Amino acid sequence: MFENKERTDINELGEFGLIKHLTSHFEIKNDQSVKGIGDDAAVLDAQGKQILISTDLLLEGIHFDLAYVPLVHLGYKAVQVNLSDIYAMNGVASQITVSLGLSSKFPLEAVEEIYKGIELACKKYNIDVIGGDTSSSKQGLVISITSIGYVDADKVVYRNGAQENDLLCVSGDLGGAYLGLQILEREKLIYLENPQVQPDLEGKDYIIERQLKPEARRDIVALLADMDIKPTSMIDVSDGLASEILHLATQSDKGITIYEEKIPLDPMTYETARELGLDPTVCALSGGEDYELLFTISQEDYKKLKHDVDITVIGHVTDKNSGCKMISKSEKVHELKAQGWNAFKK
Amino acid sequence: MFENKERTDINELGEFGLIKHLTSHFEIKNDQSVKGIGDDAAVLDAQGKQILISTDLLLEGIHFDLAYVPLVHLGYKAVQVNLSDIYAMNGVASQITVSLGLSSKFPLEAVEEIYKGIELACKKYNIDVIGGDTSSSKQGLVISITSIGYVDADKVVYRNGAQENDLLCVSGDLGGAYLGLQILEREKLIYLENPQVQPDLEGKDYIIERQLKPEARRDIVALLADMDIKPTSMIDVSDGLASEILHLATQSDKGITIYEEKIPLDPMTYETARELGLDPTVCALSGGEDYELLFTISQEDYKKLKHDVDITVIGHVTDKNSGCKMISKSEKVHELKAQGWNAFKK
């Protein structure tokens, strides 16, 4: 990957030198960040708000494949995936810690690429990198990010607050990230068979971007606050719509019914699914990695958001005994099952 | 390792099932923990204090060797290593998140052993497990822990506050963890050559325990508060005394002089070093992993702690130009260099 480029051995810098090299130009932007990198721990001031903490572990060969994921995108996505959890609590993310395990095949330039992506995401989302750990790895690349956010105590939205007759809403569109992955996997196989063939990604830019460079929906949290809507429950779509619906329903002790025709699909998602012989609805239900927000609102709040093109009402909350189901376009009733992405099945 | 015992495949549980199985009996003990495991993020309330965040990444083959580290000890140590960073800021640790990457060779019973150690440490130190991530790993075992602590804004102790003429103090004794590791490495080699030979760890219990089951010095933070001492600077000894002294001196823009004869060594540490042909002082200076607290206090505070047997004054802070040095037992002056444990040199 870096054969023809400059290669600087990480060992020349040592652990402290490497962290300094990678992070010394990062500026602290949030006034909750009292002390960032450089001591035993970071120091934060919540200024009276509640603190949200979320953490993710990303492992080479399980969560990403360096054969087709550019390192700068990997860094960017690793941050987004984590921020998404903070937004799913209705909070504002302000800090992350970044830990990297680097195999010896990684020159300094490769680590700089990862950090370039991290920095890009942090700039765009106003996030301070306040700590982390860097180590060599005898295995593949390991990325562990912890994100920290803030929210007023009365504004936290949990998964368990959905009430009967609430409306189920989702931001953006679904299934694109999964189909982007299918295209990347297909091109990788073609490349492995014949390295002369250039990857054919033409006309697939949107779904490839959904896979490689997802955007956590901070804007939706801000939009809901502007509309004076506090969702009754919320979760981010990381494992697929069906799996997330089951989480909201189970934790709220309710049932949820959705309508297939309401599920928002981008035309490129739809066409690519058809092209690959896949059911677009199944891609949305089980694909995952869309990082959209799925939330329930009370019926009174419907009028506040009904004209927003970026939020779609796809169903409603029912009593527990009705279970979780989808009414298909042909008006058949399907029970929803979690067949989402499961790191243990890969 | 688990050949003759019961083996349950982790895949049977799935990711959510595994987390639930491992953590459902954990009780939330701290009232800052508003919401623990089970939502997109944990919710904490700092109750007016400042928040301390520290994170560590532990990788098989780099930070630990499963050939001689029992899994229960590994879980215990992973927590201690992290808490130590919170105490080094003069804070009280209250929560951790735990992320595990598990290779397929690990049955459920092995993961339970790791969690048994984590739970033991959390019980003893009054820590809530509030989140985490669990995934399969194509590589070895990956452990990433983030710890969260609290401290009054005016009680935070940084590395950069040491003043000229301050006294340099260290808790407990040094070098033991490193010599414990040497003994374990020796016995591993003997075992690899001849698996019939039982490991000979007799009379080495203290230093083996220092390596396998270190205790973060929460008690020292409490003791200093009881004595009404706020250190001017503090760090924990993870990389070896010399490296930590250089951190305090560099960040405080001062020099530090220590006296070899003052460095606290346990008799077993001393004897084992001699037995292995090592210099006991070098083991303390460069060994690392002792997780003692190294701190500076103003001279006025000396009378408050001079009778405490668990704290030793080993030197003092000088002007920057004097640099960092050790006066040997034979009154020779040695410049201190960081030759501490460096994950990139292994």
Side-chain angles (χ1 to χ4, degrees):
Chain A
M1 199 161 28
F2 284 84
E3 293 81 356
N4 304 319
K5 297 187 187 170
E6 207 182 333
R7 286 184 68 100
T8 310
D9 190 340
I10 289 172
N11 296 314
E12 289 172 24
L13 286 161
E15 188 187 348
F16 300 118
L18 177 61
I19 293 175
K20 211 169 172 181
H21 176 82
L22 294 170
T23 63
S24 59
H25 63 290
F26 279 34
E27 280 168 35
I28 292 288
K29 297 176 281 266
N30 293 291
D31 52 0
Q32 295 110 332
S33 307
V34 179
K35 169 83 188 179
I37 292 167
D39 217 300
D40 294 286
V43 183
L44 308 173
D45 194 319
Q47 303 178 330
K49 293 187 184 241
Q50 289 196 332
I51 307 132
L52 303 168
I53 306 260
S54 179
T55 193
D56 272 309
L57 185 63
L58 301 177
L59 303 174
E60 182 177 343
I62 303 287
H63 301 93
F64 55 86
D65 183 337
L66 289 179
Y68 54 71
V69 178
L71 291 170
V72 59
H73 285 165
L74 183 61
Y76 191 87
K77 181 170 174 175
V79 176
Q80 296 297 337
V81 167
N82 239 280
L83 300 184
S84 183
D85 285 320
I86 301 297
Y87 302 137
M89 304 295 290
N90 206 31
V92 174
S94 298
Q95 289 95 8
I96 56 168
T97 66
V98 179
S99 294
L100 296 178
L102 303 161
S103 61
S104 55
K105 72 178 179 200
F106 273 72
L108 177 62
E109 289 73 17
V111 192
E112 285 174 341
E113 281 293 297
I114 298 174
Y115 256 83
K116 207 186 278 175
I118 290 172
E119 195 176 0
L120 209 62
C122 287
K123 266 201 178 141
K124 195 162 169 188
Y125 286 74
N126 199 39
I127 305 295
D128 294 330
V129 178
I130 53 149
D133 198 6
T134 314
S135 166
S136 61
S137 162
K138 288 213 173 169
Q139 308 113 0
L141 177 61
V142 176
I143 306 179
S144 176
I145 292 188
T146 296
S147 56
I148 299 127
Y150 304 90
V151 58
D152 287 323
D154 60 349
K155 296 277 163 56
V156 187
V157 176
Y158 293 100
R159 294 178 178 174
N160 66 3
Q163 302 296 322
E164 233 175 293
N165 300 319
D166 280 355
L167 300 174
L168 182 71
C169 309
V170 70
S171 63
D173 54 73
L174 300 173
Y178 176 76
L179 285 160
L181 182 64
Q182 301 316 305
I183 294 294
L184 289 167
E185 297 264 15
R186 183 186 73 182
E187 295 305 315
K188 179 187 166 187
L189 287 179
I190 292 172
Y191 175 82
L192 288 176
E193 272 172 31
N194 184 355
Q196 310 313 325
V197 178
Q198 287 296 308
D200 176 22
L201 306 175
E202 212 186 295
K204 303 294 182 198
D205 48 322
Y206 176 70
I207 57 172
I208 302 261
E209 189 148 305
R210 291 289 283 174
Q211 170 58 226
L212 292 182
K213 198 168 167 290
E215 300 286 340
R217 300 306 305 259
R218 178 180 64 160
D219 58 331
I220 296 293
V221 173
L223 183 71
L224 290 170
D226 280 350
M227 290 173 169
D228 196 29
I229 294 175
K230 182 189 166 188
T232 54
S233 70
M234 186 151 60
I235 191 169
D236 69 326
V237 182
S238 53
D239 290 342
L241 180 62
S243 169
E244 316 306 354
I245 286 175
L246 288 168
H247 279 302
L248 292 185
T250 306
Q251 295 200 29
S252 297
D253 211 24
K254 298 282 180 294
I256 289 178
T257 297
I258 64 166
Y259 298 87
E260 183 184 9
E261 57 177 2
K262 300 288 188 190
I263 297 173
L265 297 172
D266 182 83
M268 195 189 293
T269 301
Y270 190 88
E271 282 158 27
T272 308
R274 289 293 179 212
E275 196 183 310
L276 299 178
L278 298 168
D279 181 334
T281 301
V282 172
C283 294
L285 287 172
S286 304
E289 293 205 89
D290 291 312
Y291 300 105
E292 295 296 341
L293 290 176
L294 178 75
F295 54 95
T296 53
I297 59 167
S298 67
Q299 296 221 3
E300 299 98 82
D301 283 337
Y302 174 62
K303 59 181 182 299
K304 299 178 186 169
L305 59 63
K306 67 179 176 184
H307 296 302
D308 194 282
V309 294
D310 209 14
I311 294 174
T312 312
V313 177
I314 59 169
H316 61 273
V317 181
T318 63
D319 70 306
K320 187 185 177 182
N321 293 332
S322 303
C324 289
K325 53 199 185 194
M326 181 177 76
I327 313 295
S328 74
K329 290 171 185 166
S330 55
E331 303 206 349
K332 284 204 181 105
V333 177
H334 298 267
E335 195 195 337
L336 288 179
K337 285 180 190 153
Q339 290 171 320
W341 185 88
N342 184 326
F344 283 106
K345 284 185 189 150
K346 282 226 165 171
Chain B
M1 201 162 29
F2 284 83
E3 293 81 356
N4 305 316
K5 297 186 187 169
E6 209 184 330
R7 286 184 67 101
T8 308
D9 191 339
I10 288 173
N11 295 315
E12 290 173 23
L13 286 162
E15 188 186 347
F16 300 119
L18 177 62
I19 292 174
K20 210 168 172 181
H21 176 84
L22 293 170
T23 62
S24 60
H25 63 291
F26 278 34
E27 281 169 34
I28 292 289
K29 296 175 283 266
N30 294 291
D31 52 359
Q32 294 111 333
S33 307
V34 179
K35 170 82 187 181
I37 292 167
D39 218 300
D40 293 287
V43 182
L44 308 174
D45 194 319
Q47 304 178 328
K49 293 186 186 243
Q50 290 196 333
I51 307 132
L52 303 168
I53 307 260
S54 178
T55 193
D56 272 308
L57 185 63
L58 301 177
L59 303 173
E60 183 177 342
I62 302 287
H63 301 94
F64 55 87
D65 183 338
L66 289 179
Y68 54 72
V69 177
L71 291 170
V72 60
H73 285 164
L74 183 61
Y76 191 87
K77 182 170 174 174
V79 175
Q80 296 298 335
V81 166
N82 239 281
L83 300 184
S84 183
D85 284 321
I86 301 295
Y87 302 136
M89 304 295 290
N90 206 32
V92 174
S94 297
Q95 289 95 10
I96 57 169
T97 66
V98 179
S99 294
L100 295 179
L102 302 162
S103 61
S104 55
K105 72 178 178 200
F106 273 72
L108 178 62
E109 289 73 18
V111 191
E112 286 175 339
E113 280 293 297
I114 298 173
Y115 256 84
K116 206 187 279 178
I118 290 172
E119 195 176 359
L120 209 62
C122 287
K123 266 202 178 143
K124 195 162 167 188
Y125 286 73
N126 198 40
I127 305 295
D128 294 331
V129 178
I130 54 150
D133 199 6
T134 315
S135 166
S136 61
S137 163
K138 288 213 172 166
Q139 308 113 359
L141 178 61
V142 175
I143 306 178
S144 176
I145 293 187
T146 296
S147 56
I148 299 127
Y150 304 91
V151 57
D152 287 322
D154 60 348
K155 294 279 162 56
V156 188
V157 176
Y158 294 100
R159 293 178 178 174
N160 66 3
Q163 302 297 321
E164 233 175 294
N165 299 319
D166 280 355
L167 299 175
L168 181 72
C169 309
V170 69
S171 64
D173 55 74
L174 300 172
Y178 177 75
L179 285 159
L181 182 63
Q182 301 317 305
I183 294 294
L184 289 167
E185 296 264 15
R186 184 186 72 182
E187 295 305 315
K188 178 188 167 187
L189 288 179
I190 292 171
Y191 175 81
L192 288 176
E193 274 173 28
N194 185 353
Q196 310 313 323
V197 178
Q198 287 295 307
D200 177 21
L201 306 174
E202 212 186 294
K204 303 294 183 198
D205 49 321
Y206 177 70
I207 57 173
I208 302 266
E209 187 148 307
R210 291 289 283 175
Q211 171 57 227
L212 292 183
K213 197 168 169 292
E215 300 287 340
R217 300 307 305 260
R218 178 180 65 160
D219 59 329
I220 296 292
V221 173
L223 183 71
L224 291 170
D226 280 349
M227 288 172 170
D228 197 27
I229 295 174
K230 181 189 167 188
T232 53
S233 70
M234 186 150 64
I235 193 170
D236 69 325
V237 182
S238 54
D239 290 342
L241 180 61
S243 169
E244 315 307 353
I245 286 174
L246 288 167
H247 279 302
L248 292 185
T250 307
Q251 295 200 29
S252 298
D253 211 25
K254 297 284 179 294
I256 289 178
T257 297
I258 63 166
Y259 299 87
E260 183 184 9
E261 57 175 4
K262 300 287 187 189
I263 297 173
L265 299 171
D266 182 83
M268 194 188 295
T269 301
Y270 190 89
E271 281 157 29
T272 307
R274 289 294 180 212
E275 197 183 308
L276 299 177
L278 299 167
D279 181 335
T281 301
V282 172
C283 294
L285 287 172
S286 303
E289 292 205 90
D290 291 313
Y291 299 105
E292 296 295 340
L293 291 175
L294 179 74
F295 53 97
T296 53
I297 59 167
S298 68
Q299 296 222 1
E300 300 99 81
D301 282 336
Y302 175 61
K303 59 182 182 301
K304 299 178 187 168
L305 60 64
K306 67 179 177 183
H307 297 302
D308 194 282
V309 292
D310 209 15
I311 295 174
T312 312
V313 178
I314 60 170
H316 61 274
V317 181
T318 63
D319 69 307
K320 186 186 179 181
N321 294 331
S322 302
C324 289
K325 53 199 186 193
M326 180 178 77
I327 313 296
S328 74
K329 289 172 185 165
S330 54
E331 303 204 349
K332 286 202 180 104
V333 177
H334 298 266
E335 196 196 336
L336 287 179
K337 284 181 190 152
Q339 290 172 321
W341 184 88
N342 184 326
F344 283 105
K345 284 183 186 149
K346 281 222 165 172

